Amino acid sequence: MSDFFDALETRSPAEREAAQMAALSVQVAHAQAHSAAFATILKGVDAASINSREALAKLPVTRKSELLEMQKASRAQGGDAFGGFSALVRGPAMSRIFASPGPIYEPEGATADYWRTGRALFAAGFRKGELVHNAFSYHMTPGAFILESGAHAVGCTVFPAGTGQTEQQLDAIRDLQPNAYTGTPSFLRILLEKAAESKVDVSCIKKASVGGEACPPSLTSWFKEHGVAVYQTYATADLGLVAYETASREGLVLEEGVIVEIVRPGTGDPVAEGEVGELVVTSLNPAYPLIRFGTGDLSALLPGNCPSGRSAPRIKGWMGRADQTTKVKGMFVHPGQVADIVRRFPSVNKARLVISGEMANDRMCLQVEATDADAGLSEQLESAMREVTKLRGLVEMVGIGSLPNDGKVIEDARSYQ
């Protein structure tokens, strides 16, 4: 039996990069022709020239908040509920429509494993003929369908458990003896604890693919102690599968159908390998062709390949949210403003805006790593801060490499006691 879902997982990095860059220019042209939103966003872009990561990085980032606003504006005018982002039309090609908080409406194409999660479930040990207890919600949001489609792609049968009704779910597990679980890690823990309390044997569940919330190593270890090997699956309603965990437990391997960049929060500028930043994803899915879609999630690229033998790049996993917008003295300050300040000074490598103080006594301090910290640089930076944020702040020069690699551009260190 193969250890891999398909041959794409073990192709050489050079082969994958060449294939993805060739597909990228085709996808940009497709988005311009079949997505009204991207026809506007990418107006004037020569699709054929977008065939490298450098060219991709020059395109604008479209963030989830912008997609929501474009959908709302379109709906307010009696237009397309998807805001012009979907390349599908209602009918046989669009099997379902989902609603995420906002609401943001997402289409599901009528293709097998539309969300591409089969790869993640296979890596988690799911196999043909097994029964999967799917405890993601089947109500409005696509979570349950995202994992169900992957289970079917692997060849599994699915019990659509949904959420809640813990006692009935335990009855079903006892009666049906599922091999695997999909759902949030918190609900899996509730099921296991309730099973122990009620003396219901659920030891049939040996593996799980979890998502929707963080699953720290301590919780993974807890599940292992209770007989369940848990693997993280990082997927979104917009993009489908982005990355997944393997038996090596060393980061999450990127899915074959996406191109991932890590950019400085508040910008579209790629960061160096290993530096924490915002995940920006380009989907190669023709049904919903999102180009440079800002997820708002923080992560970092890991060096080298996965010990499992999969050759795609890896990310550390979910490391927090990139949207660090905060209010200072009644005015919003956001990461893009910090980036605007830094761009004015070529000698500045990195900066972090620290907000401190207590109750109506906010103080701003821009901590700066610079290669040439001459006497006038601090004053120039303070002036730029006033101009960009309309607020006064101090500048503190710090040593190169001393700022934490945690993706934070704005740190709210105020006391709220």
Side-chain angles (χ1 to χ4, degrees):
M1 183 169 57
S2 173
D3 290 331
F4 305 103
F5 184 71
D6 60 24
L8 295 179
E9 296 181 343
T10 55
R11 55 184 168 169
S12 72
E15 183 182 1
R16 176 180 295 103
E17 187 74 0
Q20 288 191 336
M21 292 304 108
L24 173 61
S25 59
V26 172
Q27 182 73 325
V28 170
H30 174 76
Q32 290 173 317
H34 299 282
S35 161
F38 278 106
T40 299
I41 294 169
L42 301 178
K43 186 177 181 180
V45 171
D46 175 18
S49 70
I50 310 301
N51 57 5
S52 68
R53 289 182 180 270
E54 293 73 21
L56 178 61
K58 295 176 182 177
L59 300 182
V61 173
T62 299
R63 293 191 160 77
K64 196 158 192 157
S65 58
E66 295 170 313
L67 184 149
L68 172 59
E69 291 309 311
M70 289 179 72
Q71 282 200 0
K72 284 183 175 179
S74 178
R75 296 196 294 266
Q77 297 171 6
D80 175 27
F82 301 110
F85 284 93
S86 174
L88 296 176
V89 295
R90 296 180 188 181
M94 187 187 294
S95 57
R96 297 183 183 91
I97 295 173
F98 296 103
S100 294
I104 293 176
Y105 293 104
E106 299 104 357
E108 180 186 47
T111 53
D113 197 14
Y114 171 80
W115 312 93
R116 310 178 314 283
T117 48
R119 195 180 307 283
L121 297 189
F122 191 91
F126 290 47
R127 292 296 183 269
K128 182 178 180 181
E130 294 182 333
L131 177 61
V132 177
H133 186 94
N134 188 5
F136 276 113
S137 173
Y138 278 86
H139 179 64
M140 290 197 181
T141 58
F145 296 89
I146 290 174
L147 274 298
E148 181 175 295
S149 69
H152 290 319
V154 172
C156 297
T157 297
V158 175
F159 177 69
T163 57
Q165 299 180 304
T166 306
E167 291 182 0
Q168 291 94 321
Q169 295 218 23
L170 291 178
D171 289 343
I173 293 170
R174 180 196 59 214
D175 296 342
L176 296 174
Q177 295 288 294
N179 310 91
Y181 165 96
T182 52
T184 63
S186 59
F187 190 63
L188 177 58
R189 180 162 187 164
I190 288 171
L191 287 174
L192 295 179
E193 290 176 336
K194 185 66 174 179
E197 178 187 321
S198 307
K199 295 183 170 46
V200 176
D201 183 4
V202 295
S203 60
C204 56
I205 297 179
K206 302 294 186 185
K207 54 212 169 192
S209 174
V210 300
E213 59 191 26
C215 186
S218 59
L219 186 53
T220 300
S221 297
W222 186 92
F223 286 126
K224 184 178 180 182
E225 292 167 4
H226 288 76
V228 184
V230 166
Y231 298 85
Q232 295 183 70
T233 297
Y234 175 37
T236 77
D238 320 277
L239 300 160
L241 183 64
V242 176
Y244 58 97
E245 194 169 21
T246 73
S248 70
R249 306 286 185 185
E250 294 187 17
L252 305 184
V253 176
L254 295 181
E255 214 283 307
E256 299 292 333
V258 294
I259 298 171
V260 169
E261 304 167 89
I262 307 291
V263 308
R264 198 168 307 287
T267 76
D269 304 330
V271 300
E273 182 179 285
E275 188 173 342
V276 177
E278 180 186 4
L279 274 164
V280 169
V281 181
T282 295
S283 169
L284 299 177
N285 174 12
Y288 203 44
L290 297 177
I291 310 296
R292 297 203 89 199
F293 185 71
T295 64
D297 291 330
L298 292 175
S299 194
L301 285 170
L302 293 174
N305 293 336
C306 180
S308 71
R310 293 168 176 83
S311 57
R314 295 170 299 153
I315 57 174
K316 276 191 174 183
W318 187 80
M319 300 176 69
R321 293 292 294 168
D323 185 7
Q324 298 151 28
T325 299
T326 189
K327 190 173 279 189
V328 180
K329 294 184 179 178
M331 296 183 66
F332 283 108
V333 179
H334 55 81
Q337 290 175 307
V338 178
D340 287 344
I341 295 167
V342 170
R343 286 195 192 98
R344 301 182 181 197
F345 304 93
S347 65
V348 175
N349 290 350
K350 193 174 181 180
R352 182 187 188 101
L353 186 65
V354 179
I355 315 299
S356 60
E358 305 82 23
M359 294 296 292
N361 187 28
D362 299 332
R363 295 188 294 274
M364 293 199 316
C365 179
L366 187 67
Q367 297 178 337
V368 174
E369 293 180 11
T371 53
D372 184 17
D374 59 46
L377 182 59
S378 292
E379 291 182 5
Q380 293 172 36
L381 282 163
E382 288 179 3
S383 177
M385 270 206 297
R386 286 195 301 274
E387 181 182 338
V388 173
T389 68
K390 313 306 179 189
L391 296 164
R392 292 182 179 274
L394 299 176
V395 170
E396 177 188 1
M397 294 296 176
V398 299
I400 298 292
S402 62
L403 292 178
N405 181 26
D406 56 8
K408 282 189 177 180
V409 175
I410 298 176
E411 177 185 355
D412 191 346
R414 287 173 289 196
S415 172
Y416 292 95
Q417 297 181 352

